[in-house]
Amino acid sequence: MSGAARTGDQPADRIQDGIYFRKGQTPGKCYRLLLINIRSGTRPNEARAAIAAIWTLLAELRRGIVRDLRPLEAGDPEVIVPDGGLTCLLGFGARLFNPSLHVPRLVATDLRPPELVSLRPNGVGTPFLNLPWAGEEQRRPGEADLALQFIAETELAVNRAVVEIWKLIDDQDLPLDFVTMHAGFSRNDRRSWIDFHDGLNNLESSQRRGAIEVVLADPAWMKGGTYMGVLRVSVDLAVWRSLPREHQEILVGRNKLTGCPLEEIERGRNGELSLKFMPGCPFGEPLTPAQQAAFRDPPRPGDPLVQLSHIHRSNHNRGAPDTDANNRVFRQGYEFLETLADGKPCLGLHFVSFQRQLARLTNLLRLNGWLRDVNFGGATNPRAGEPAPIQFLSVVAGGLYAVPPNNDPFPGAEIF
Ligand code: HEM
């Protein structure tokens, strides 16, 4: 299952489908993340055979072939269902490498990529600091041995992938257990629940491969693959909506309606704030390449308060994406809305990012001046009239995954 493509003079990549980083690709509308554990007591060859069976099933689904509709008798027609443009991606969590959870050992411990750790509520392994876990009642599992990401244009295609896997496990008594499933949907208004545009700056297509592809053979089986970070972030809209529009714009760093970058904040005699956005923006259509670049990637602002906005805290250097210090990640998140609890919608951003080292994401969340000391953006010690630090994000589920390069019979098969 590969959509590998040559970029310029580079050799073709081996990055799995399901990461829409290639020029002209757009992720489908519907998202599922299925988390699966391998039962303790399973031998490596049994685990390998079970994953291979799933991967074969998924390859067939991508061609519209459903197992229960296969012709069995002479004269039966060949049934091909709409595939919905389904893509499938397989990731391995830190749990897979944990010998205390898998007896006998499934995978040699030294094959675990050093940065691939379980997320913990606090201490070593918590990436969050100021992005706290949601309360117990809202928290969901985010980690497992295996993560299968499905993206397609239709709800049916992503749901069918999940149900067909369940049927296969049942039919063949595979040593696998479903842990949970996370769902998400894309928005054609290109905004997020906080109403601002999202994804305005998500790396130019020519820069994406450099930001996501693992180039070090540490461990060797991950060379040519990538790493996935998943944070299902719940948004407290009541807190967000209690802020005046100007404060929201200062926290994000963009104009709420147009997406134009905030450049400067003037202070009146009585401390009142007046926001200055990029001159000339919004630009008339079509944008010139220079206008497009300035809109997407505004220069580092001189104003210290603008520097503390979400877009500038999460992207400091605006330089080459394959330079470590820039901590660039390729975001491919989806929105979610779950049940209505206590009369309030439980909604948020299912943040997903791909990067060639997990440190790019964890640094972004942990470093001073980046997102370490805030929940979203803004000053920690605001002056009069400036937005006070707010807490409106919490993590419902999260996990880090190694996403090995394409291989047969499935990505990463060589480690079992
Ligand atoms: C999980 C933690 C998060 C991280 C690591 C993160 C990271 C980022 C990054 C790297 C950017 C691009 C900045 C730029 O180059 O201009 C960005 C922009 C943005 N993010 Fe986040 N973000 C997170 C959570 C959220 C949440 C939960 C929301 C909304 C509820 C959100 C809304 C936005 C918006 C509106 C933008 C500006 C639009 C854009 O430039 O794409 N982010 N974020």
Side-chain angles (χ1 to χ4, degrees), residues 165-202:
I165 290 176
W166 180 84
K167 282 161 51 177
L168 184 76
I169 294 173
D170 195 42
D171 286 352
Q172 300 189 1
D173 202 15
L174 300 179
L176 304 174
D177 294 314
F178 277 14
V179 176
T180 198
M181 182 187 88
H182 295 292
F185 65 92
S186 73
R187 301 175 56 131
N188 58 7
D189 61 358
R190 300 185 61 216
R191 291 178 184 266
S192 68
W193 286 123
I194 61 171
D195 292 325
F196 282 73
H197 290 90
D198 198 358
L200 291 181
N201 186 7
N202 200 10

Side-chain angles (χ1 to χ4, degrees), residues 197-201 310-311 314-315 318 331 349 351 376:
H197 290 90
D198 198 358
L200 291 181
N201 186 7
H310 182 72
I311 70 162
S314 58
N315 180 7
R318 304 193 172 271
R331 293 177 295 144
L349 171 68
F351 177 94
F376 182 73

Side-chain angles (χ1 to χ4, degrees), residues 133-147:
W133 289 95
E136 286 293 341
E137 66 298 340
Q138 219 193 340
R139 194 105 53 88
R140 301 260 313 275
E143 301 187 308
D145 293 328
L146 310 176

Side-chain angles (χ1 to χ4, degrees), residues 43-82:
R43 299 187 178 281
N45 61 333
E46 293 165 340
R48 186 185 154 101
I51 303 170
I54 288 183
W55 205 243
T56 304
L57 169 121
L58 293 173
E60 288 178 353
L61 276 185
R62 293 190 67 188
R63 302 202 314 271
I65 300 169
V66 178
R67 282 171 69 244
D68 287 351
L69 295 177
R70 271 192 294 220
L72 292 178
E73 293 170 11
D76 277 352
E78 196 188 354
V79 176
I80 301 291
V81 300

Side-chain angles (χ1 to χ4, degrees), residues 128 131 190-203 230-235 240 252-254 259 295-298 310-316 318 327-331 335 348-353 361 364-365 370-371 375-376 392-395:
F128 311 134
L131 188 53
R190 300 185 61 216
R191 291 178 184 266
S192 68
W193 286 123
I194 61 171
D195 292 325
F196 282 73
H197 290 90
D198 198 358
L200 291 181
N201 186 7
N202 200 10
L203 295 173
V230 177
L231 295 171
R232 195 167 175 88
V233 184
S234 146
V235 172
W240 179 252
V252 173
R254 289 190 185 271
F295 180 76
R296 168 209 292 269
D297 219 352
H310 182 72
I311 70 162
H312 290 292
R313 279 181 176 271
S314 58
N315 180 7
H316 268 221
R318 304 193 172 271
N327 290 321
R328 292 315 310 271
V329 299
F330 177 58
R331 293 177 295 144
E335 297 274 280
L349 171 68
H350 185 90
F351 177 94
V352 181
S353 67
L361 173 64
L364 211 155
L365 293 161
W370 294 67
L371 294 172
N375 189 239
F376 182 73
F392 75 111
L393 305 180
S394 54
V395 178

Side-chain angles (χ1 to χ4, degrees), residues 325-339:
N326 290 331
N327 290 321
R328 292 315 310 271
V329 299
F330 177 58
R331 293 177 295 144
Q332 197 175 276
Y334 281 79
E335 297 274 280
F336 73 86
L337 169 66
E338 283 173 0
T339 51

